Amino acid sequence: MNVKKRNRAGYIACICGLLYALPHFWWGLGVPFGFPGDFAKVPNELLSRVIGYWFMGVLAVLAALFSLSFVYKWGERLPRRLKIIPAWIGCIGLSIWGFSFFVLKFQFAIGRVVSAPSFVEQDASPMAAWGYVWYALFLGWGISLGFAAFFEGKMTKSFGHRG
């Protein structure tokens, strides 16, 4: 088993998690850069900001730290299933979420679907182009988590670990 591949996948997943977290923190501070829509039309309620920006940012940082369990020695102390099962769940969820965006955009491009009336203005916004960045990030994050889990499973099996 090549440990470098496992490490690379874990580092990529960590970077993707941090890249997802950072804009949530600056959006929580009111900075609209990179927001995939009209930031001025987002509800300005405290609970919406706390959950939508700060909580999601902190959750992404924790997920990024989790990804490092595939890289560093301290991760070997965790039971194998406690690492592999959440990583596969994240892989499947994030990959489907990211891939489905591109499928939908392709369906828009070929005229198979049209925006719902309530989303026409948002989809026509120039800021909607940021969706390509964020959904590509979801796709990369999901795929890297899958590779980290796959390599972890192969490595622990080759060493005879059970967990």
Side-chain angles (χ1 to χ4, degrees):
M1 168 58 218
N2 188 345
V3 176
K4 283 188 178 182
K5 288 182 184 178
R6 178 181 76 137
N7 288 353
R8 196 172 304 135
Y11 281 127
I12 292 170
C14 178
I15 291 167
C16 288
L18 294 176
L19 288 175
Y20 178 77
L22 284 174
H24 283 79
F25 294 135
W26 71 60
W27 294 336
L29 293 171
V31 178
F33 177 74
F35 192 80
D38 189 353
F39 191 74
K41 292 186 178 180
V42 174
N44 196 14
E45 304 156 356
L46 178 63
L47 188 59
S48 295
R49 284 194 175 283
V50 168
I51 293 172
Y53 301 134
W54 296 102
F55 177 75
M56 292 304 293
V58 168
L59 198 61
V61 168
L62 293 174
L65 292 174
F66 166 77
S67 300
L68 293 178
S69 71
F70 294 102
V71 176
Y72 292 107
K73 288 274 190 201
W74 59 263
E76 294 173 10
R77 295 183 196 148
L78 297 173
R80 181 174 163 246
R81 286 189 183 112
L82 188 62
K83 290 170 57 176
I84 293 178
I85 292 172
W88 278 119
I89 291 169
C91 166
I92 292 165
L94 290 165
S95 297
I96 289 172
W97 188 251
F99 183 70
S100 64
F101 172 82
F102 292 101
V103 169
L104 180 62
K105 288 298 184 178
F106 175 73
Q107 295 294 319
F108 280 141
I110 64 172
R112 297 280 293 191
V113 296
V114 294
S115 289
S118 58
F119 289 99
V120 169
E121 184 182 343
Q122 177 182 331
D123 290 340
S125 167
M127 295 304 289
W130 278 103
Y132 290 101
V133 172
W134 303 127
Y135 284 92
L137 182 67
F138 293 142
L139 191 56
W141 194 2
I143 291 169
S144 61
L145 272 176
F147 274 115
F150 175 76
F151 293 133
E152 177 75 16
K154 284 186 73 159
M155 190 174 94
T156 54
K157 282 183 184 178
S158 69
F159 290 132
H161 289 125
R162 301 282 174 218

